[in-house]
Amino acid sequence: MPHYPNELKLLDLKSLPREVFSRQQYMPAKHYFPAHEHSWHQLLYASSGVLIVDVIGERLFIPPENAVWLPCGCRHSVSTEYGAELKSLYINGNYQQLPTDKSVVLKISPIIKALIIEVSTFDVEYSILGYEEEVISLMLSTLPRLKPVTDHLPWPTSVELLKMCNQLYERPGGKQTTLMLAKDLAMSKRTLERKFHKETGMTIQAWSLRLRFLKSIELLTAGHSITNISLDLGYSSPSPFIYMFRNISGMSPGEYITSLSNSKGK
């Protein structure tokens, strides 16, 4: 398990030692950081593995090509199913060039990756003059240029629908129809569809499809075979799974893994 120098106990801090503090951490499989919030902003991504970040009303899947922006005061929890290599930037709350009222998933760029890696080598109380400050300034001015990603998974807020979605999340390959789900909740199919769309903005079918796609990214990143992923997600063979993946992402699962491997070398 990697060990990183310059660790700092964030929960003990009332303010950051500098405008930006970089932190690296390995999260083992099944690890979970309970819901918490900071008095500073956070940019969080994983150089390997997939993070699951829960904020109010959303479950965010963060694969290695994405990052999540968490403004100060944004309550969130973080977990990983198969392990992940965390990279975090903690940024003073005075920074205003990204949203300060909501979380945003961003497409992380090679230059930001390189800058974060460079900043991670700085001392906690790095010099505020010269090279270190110039790199920090470049990184902060580059962050707003990252493109937003919108394929998050909206989460319902009512107790019964939240329970239903948690069950679907645990068994993404299940064969439950909307009628079966409605019966389990002792409501009509029409009522369930109306309530679900009102709380998530999506139909149950579209939500379940997005769930399977996001879970497939998690499994691909963890090294699972396409055949096993297909079966785990309820497909009869790899062909319909590959079709679904290509239809949503514009590439095959194999091409997706290749693109991740290529980006690591940049």
Side-chain angles (χ1 to χ4, degrees), residues 99-140:
T100 58
D101 60 341
K102 63 178 180 179
S103 60
V104 182
V105 179
L106 301 167
K107 192 80 171 178
I108 197 161
S109 65
I111 187 171
I112 282 293
K113 282 187 178 182
L115 289 169
I116 291 175
I117 290 172
E118 182 65 9
V119 170
S120 70
T121 67
F122 296 172
D123 291 335
V124 171
E125 296 184 346
Y126 55 80
S127 173
I128 58 174
L129 300 173
Y131 174 74
E132 289 90 344
E133 186 60 25
E134 289 174 358
V135 172
I136 294 292
S137 178
L138 175 60
M139 183 176 64
L140 293 179

Side-chain angles (χ1 to χ4, degrees), residues 20-87:
V20 173
F21 173 63
S22 174
R23 188 171 186 239
Q24 304 182 78
Q25 183 175 1
Y26 177 75
M27 280 184 72
K30 305 290 186 181
H31 198 70
Y32 175 74
F33 288 128
H36 61 286
E37 57 191 71
H38 311 293
S39 57
W40 43 76
H41 309 308
Q42 180 180 9
L43 182 79
L44 174 65
Y45 86 99
S47 56
S48 65
V50 173
L51 301 176
I52 309 299
V53 181
D54 282 303
V55 296
I56 295 176
E58 292 179 328
R59 176 160 290 177
L60 308 173
F61 288 68
I62 311 299
E65 71 268 24
N66 292 346
V68 59
W69 171 255
L70 300 162
C72 57
C74 176
R75 192 163 183 80
H76 61 282
S77 62
V78 182
S79 62
T80 180
E81 182 71 18
Y82 301 103
E85 198 82 26
L86 267 66
K87 310 288 185 185

